[in-house]
């Protein structure tokens, strides 16, 4: 199984992923950005986002399939995908591999996101903050399809441990997949 945590910078994906893996038996985080780093090493830095390189989407699916075939359990994927076509390719590939996916959109309002980005202790300096802030309009544009495709969890007022509890409860309402 895959739990895909979508959302933009500052939504709480990475922290929530860590919280989920403390609650879910046989779970691990799969950082799909590492696939992009691999492609950057092999193909050179892309002009745009690494997600624009078609092999990224196929390799994310294949890597997830291989890891699950080898280790089993649950992969928690904290990865922003804002292009609907890219999400459709990933979802279709995972479905063809027989992998169930729970797709969550971790959402917060613009002011909350901007504040979180501005106060992130490791944002890559001023340039990193600016880069993250500059991506917020793309997120806003993607919201209509994200609201159709994902279960939304508003993270503006919830700490990551409670966001993880909400996500886990939506997947396992009776707690059957959890440690607790």
């Amino acid at each position: 199984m895959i739990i895909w945590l979508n959302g933009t910078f500052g939504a709480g994906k990475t922290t929530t992923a860590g919280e989920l893996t403390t609650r879910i038996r046989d779970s691990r985080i799969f950082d799909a950005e590492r696939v992009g780093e691999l492609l950057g090493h092999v193909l050179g830095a892309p002009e745009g986002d690494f997600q624009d390189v078609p092999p990224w989407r196929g390799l994310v699916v294949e890597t997830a399939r291989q890891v699950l075939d080898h280790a089993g359990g649950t992969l928690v994927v904290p990865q922003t995908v804002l292009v609907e076509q890219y999400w459709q390719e990933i979802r279709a590939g995972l479905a063809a591999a027989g992998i169930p996916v729970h797709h969550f959109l971790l959402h917060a309002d613009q002011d909350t996101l901007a504040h979180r980005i501005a106060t992130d202790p490791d944002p890559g300096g001023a340039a990193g903050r600016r880069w993250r802030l500059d991506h917020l309009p793309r997120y806003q544009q993607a919201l209509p399809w994200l609201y159709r495709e994902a279960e939304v969890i508003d993270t503006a007022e919830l700490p990551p441990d409670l966001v993880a509890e909400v996500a886990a409860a939506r997947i396992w309402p009776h707690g059957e997949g959890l440690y607790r």
Side-chain angles (χ1 to χ4, degrees), residues 65-167:
R65 186 189 70 73
Q66 292 268 340
V67 168
L68 288 171
D69 282 352
H70 175 74
T74 300
L75 292 181
V76 180
V77 185
Q79 180 65 52
T80 303
V81 177
L82 298 181
V83 177
E84 184 175 12
Q85 174 189 338
Y86 298 173
W87 173 250
Q88 298 298 338
E89 288 177 36
I90 292 166
R91 189 184 67 181
L94 294 170
I99 302 169
V101 177
H102 294 274
H103 182 202
F104 292 99
L105 172 63
L106 304 188
H107 175 73
D109 59 84
Q110 284 280 100
D111 290 341
T112 299
L113 293 169
H115 174 74
R116 289 177 181 171
I117 291 168
T119 59
D120 187 339
D122 187 25
R129 275 189 203 93
R130 176 56 29 214
W131 189 81
R132 291 174 180 197
L133 289 168
D134 287 348
H135 280 76
L136 291 179
R138 285 185 60 213
Y139 172 66
Q140 292 297 320
Q141 292 170 345
L143 281 175
W145 79 261
L146 287 168
Y147 270 70
R148 280 193 319 273
E149 291 288 326
E151 291 187 59
V152 179
I153 301 174
D154 191 329
T155 67
E157 301 295 326
L158 292 177
D161 63 322
L162 291 181
V163 174
E165 292 286 340
V166 169

